[in-house]
Amino acid sequence: QQVRMVTLSVLDAGEPVLVLRLAYAQGAPDRIHEELELAPGHYQLRVDVTRADDRDASGVTSVRALEVPADGVVLLELGRGDA
């Protein structure tokens, strides 16, 4: 079950503020590290994962709260159990 695509969406009141799509032809690494610049605030982080065997491409979705306390870089680290 190789992960072929990961889509990170940062939502503010349900509207996308930032969308990042990461594609991996040979499968994603065990951990993904990304840096995002966001204004302070309360957001939702949506992670959509598509695996090589997902015939309908619906994949797995995880949504969680994301708190950004101050302007600057937000470090995200995702592992196999996060979505």
Side-chain angles (χ1 to χ4, degrees):
Q1 291 188 350
Q2 287 186 329
V3 171
R4 293 297 173 96
M5 183 181 303
V6 176
T7 303
L8 303 173
S9 303
V10 178
L11 308 172
D12 185 7
E15 295 296 319
V17 174
L18 182 140
V19 177
L20 178 63
R21 285 187 179 86
L22 306 167
Y24 304 95
Q26 302 301 317
D30 287 340
R31 299 196 88 54
I32 298 171
H33 305 270
E34 288 297 324
E35 294 181 12
L36 310 174
E37 289 199 37
L38 296 167
H42 304 282
Y43 300 94
Q44 282 188 320
L45 175 65
R46 178 183 168 134
V47 181
D48 295 294
V49 175
T50 303
R51 292 185 169 83
D53 62 351
D54 290 342
R55 289 179 174 80
D56 61 4
S58 61
V60 176
T61 299
S62 172
V63 179
R64 67 178 89 161
L66 176 64
E67 175 74 26
V68 179
D71 280 323
V73 175
V74 177
L75 302 175
L76 298 177
E77 183 174 339
L78 302 171
R80 291 199 181 269
D82 290 321

